[in-house]
Amino acid sequence: MAIETVGVVGAGQMGNGIAHVMALAGYDVLLNDVDQDAIDRALETVEKNLDRQVTREKITAAERDAALSRIKPTLRLADLGQTDLVIEAATERESVKQAIFDELLPHLKPETILTSNTSSISITRLASRTDRPEKFMGFHFMNPVPVMQLVELIRGIATDQATYKACLEVVNKLGKTAAPAEDFPAFIVNRILMPMINEAVYTLYEGVGSVKSIDESMKLGANHPMGPLELADFIGLDTCLAIMNVLHDGLADTKYRPCPLLTKYVEAGWLGRKTGRGFYDYRGDEPVPTR
């Protein structure tokens, strides 16, 4: 089927980025959230990021204006029912995602493709709760969405070839690169990335190095653009912990056991940049290591 309209569930960091790139590629976008303030912040962020692209001469002012005109906000999840493609980009908790799909299903067109931006949860299991497992798949963007080139496309056991091809065509129209991934816990990127971050937290927990020395070692010694603890703060420590729990539970291997220090930071509400504190304290002019 030809996809012309896209519904995005969740106006957070991932949702507003997905709305941004979809609208810029010419799709009409309905952006949904339960919180009007979240939608307002998302629209401000999209406009600011589009302005930055104009300043850097990546796009024209006319392209920016056209993209902004294609994004329509809504507090009603049912409004997304008439779109051709729905991308769920809510928090990384399976119960939340299932509740969204349960509420959305009665309003969907029969041909609508339903997808999740989950970074770790089983696509097959999410699809089994819907009336269209053959039209359900994982559509995992990387953060920040307007900048990162990769999109993981994950088929569940029931996903049909027509659905995969339709989503692949969307990725190509966005000018991004698709990485087909099998439906295993955390897929490709996070299967590799999260254990590295978790090991960096263990390295801190065991006193092998400080926050600064660990991050500088990986930046200068392995040529990483961002240290693993800085990256964890950027992603969100709650998200990192959720993915490690999915890996640990799904693969039943002790090497995926979340570091107790990561759990402690999450319990303290120190989730990284979004809360002002994580492995760094962001409340001053410059980030300061917390350990």
Side-chain angles (χ1 to χ4, degrees):
M1 61 176 290
I3 292 174
E4 297 178 354
T5 56
V6 178
V8 179
V9 184
Q13 192 172 36
M14 296 304 296
N16 74 60
I18 294 168
H20 173 147
V21 298
M22 288 291 179
L24 196 55
Y27 295 103
D28 291 323
V29 178
L30 269 178
L31 179 61
N32 163 262
D33 202 284
V34 295
D35 183 1
Q36 183 64 52
D37 289 341
I39 289 177
D40 292 342
R41 288 193 300 271
L43 294 175
E44 290 174 8
T45 299
V46 171
E47 185 169 6
K48 180 179 68 177
N49 289 338
L50 286 168
D51 285 342
R52 184 180 295 116
Q53 288 180 302
V54 172
T55 301
R56 294 176 179 174
E57 299 184 344
K58 301 289 187 182
I59 62 173
T60 66
E63 288 172 325
R64 173 200 60 201
D65 295 343
L68 288 172
S69 71
R70 294 187 188 107
I71 302 174
K72 306 298 183 188
T74 178
L75 292 170
R76 285 171 34 88
L77 189 60
D79 290 346
L80 275 58
Q82 297 307 302
T83 58
D84 302 322
L85 169 67
V86 174
I87 303 173
E88 172 273 314
T91 188
E92 191 67 357
R93 291 206 301 272
E94 187 167 347
S95 59
V96 173
K97 295 178 184 299
Q98 288 176 341
I100 288 169
F101 296 138
D102 289 346
E103 182 178 345
L104 187 58
L105 284 175
H107 307 285
L108 294 178
K109 297 186 298 183
E111 64 271 23
T112 296
I113 292 174
L114 195 55
T115 69
S116 176
N117 185 59
T118 178
S119 53
S120 62
I121 298 168
S122 168
I123 298 302
T124 298
R125 193 164 62 243
L126 289 174
S128 71
R129 289 284 300 269
T130 75
D131 63 354
R132 61 195 67 213
E134 73 287 348
K135 291 185 177 298
F136 191 107
M137 68 180 299
F139 209 143
H140 181 215
F141 289 84
M142 304 296 122
N143 185 33
V145 179
V147 175
M148 302 297 282
Q149 281 297 109
L150 188 74
V151 180
E152 286 182 317
L153 292 181
I154 307 103
R155 278 181 274 207
I157 195 170
T159 307
D160 63 27
Q161 184 64 13
T163 297
Y164 175 79
K165 286 182 66 177
C167 290
L168 179 59
E169 287 175 9
V170 172
V171 175
N172 291 337
K173 188 173 178 180
L174 296 177
K176 296 186 181 294
T177 300
E182 293 300 317
D183 188 19
F184 281 81
F187 319 128
I188 296 173
V189 172
N190 283 319
R191 173 74 177 266
I192 298 167
L193 176 62
M194 286 302 157
M196 184 198 75
I197 288 175
N198 194 51
E199 192 62 28
V201 183
Y202 267 115
T203 305
L204 178 66
Y205 178 59
E206 294 167 3
V208 180
S210 65
V211 169
K212 183 177 180 181
S213 64
I214 291 167
D215 277 351
E216 285 191 344
S217 293
M218 294 307 293
K219 286 191 286 187
L220 302 179
N223 205 28
H224 289 194
M226 189 182 292
L229 301 176
E230 182 185 4
L231 179 57
D233 276 356
F234 180 75
I235 294 168
L237 303 192
D238 53 338
T239 300
C240 293
L241 179 59
I243 295 170
M244 287 308 303
N245 281 326
V246 167
L247 281 166
H248 191 227
D249 294 344
L251 298 174
D253 193 322
T254 56
K255 71 180 181 180
Y256 298 115
R257 184 173 71 97
C259 179
L261 183 61
L262 177 60
T263 301
K264 184 177 292 186
Y265 268 66
V266 172
E267 288 175 344
W270 293 17
L271 308 182
R273 286 181 177 269
K274 61 187 175 185
T275 59
R277 273 190 297 189
F279 293 112
Y280 292 86
D281 189 328
Y282 299 93
R283 295 173 297 173
D285 294 333
E286 295 289 334
V288 177
T290 54
R291 289 177 78 92

